[in-house]
Amino acid sequence: YAGVILTKDGPKCLEYNCRFGDPETQALLPLLKSDLMEIGLACCTKRLNEIKVEFHTSMVAATVVAASQGYPDNYPKGLPIHINTDALNKLEDVYLFHAGTALTEKGIVTTGGRVLAMSVVGRDL
């Protein structure tokens, strides 16, 4: 994905990322129709041009990030996170990604600024 800013001289690219942990990637990967392992292997063996990379074009996805209070500056760590897994497991095409979390004797707690990301796939937003 590209991080773009509009300036008086027009749009400028601030960054270009392709990290799997980024929320932007977490919104795109559920739309991937092709086998991600096959794509990665093709990249590593210099034969990406030999495979077809396809996405579900009739679907859209969105990701919402739950961030710690104070992020991106100072934020508390070790706060408990309560997830209703029964309700979550009943939802279709919903993905919950852990980022700044840890499993401790107290349960799941915050350890970072971007704590959780939830992605959903559907026919429209």
Side-chain angles (χ1 to χ4, degrees), residues 2-5 12-16:
V4 179
I5 187 170
K12 301 289 181 190
C13 182
L14 293 175
E15 62 180 349
Y16 181 81

Side-chain angles (χ1 to χ4, degrees), residues 4 11-12 15 18-19 22-23 32 36 41 52 59 61 63 67 73 75-76 88 90-92 101 103 111 113 115 117:
V4 179
K12 301 289 181 190
E15 62 180 349
C18 58
R19 297 180 303 232
D22 283 340
L32 183 63
L36 181 59
L41 184 59
K52 190 171 186 176
M59 304 297 280
T63 299
D73 297 318
Y75 47 85
L88 186 61
K90 292 178 185 175
L91 300 173
E92 291 185 27
T101 67
L103 183 58
T111 60
V115 179

Side-chain angles (χ1 to χ4, degrees), residues 112-125:
R114 291 190 292 192
V115 179
L116 299 168
M118 183 173 282
S119 297
V120 62
V121 176
R123 296 263 174 228
D124 58 41
L125 293 177

Side-chain angles (χ1 to χ4, degrees), residues 69-80:
Q69 184 175 356
Y71 175 80
D73 297 318
N74 296 322
Y75 47 85
K77 296 179 182 171
L79 300 176

Side-chain angles (χ1 to χ4, degrees), residues 27-34 54-57 59-61 120-122:
L28 291 175
L29 281 182
L31 298 175
L32 183 63
K33 202 174 187 179
S34 303
E54 294 181 286
F55 286 86
H56 295 282
T57 56
M59 304 297 280
V60 297
V120 62
V121 176

Side-chain angles (χ1 to χ4, degrees), residues 52-111:
K52 190 171 186 176
V53 178
E54 294 181 286
F55 286 86
H56 295 282
T57 56
S58 62
M59 304 297 280
V60 297
T63 299
V64 175
V65 174
S68 290
Q69 184 175 356
Y71 175 80
D73 297 318
N74 296 322
Y75 47 85
K77 296 179 182 171
L79 300 176
I81 301 170
H82 304 286
I83 300 169
N84 185 337
T85 54
D86 291 335
L88 186 61
N89 289 333
K90 292 178 185 175
L91 300 173
E92 291 185 27
D93 297 321
V94 173
Y95 306 88
L96 181 64
F97 297 96
H98 286 252
T101 67
L103 183 58
T104 69
E105 64 280 350
K106 297 178 184 178
I108 302 171
V109 298
T110 62
T111 60

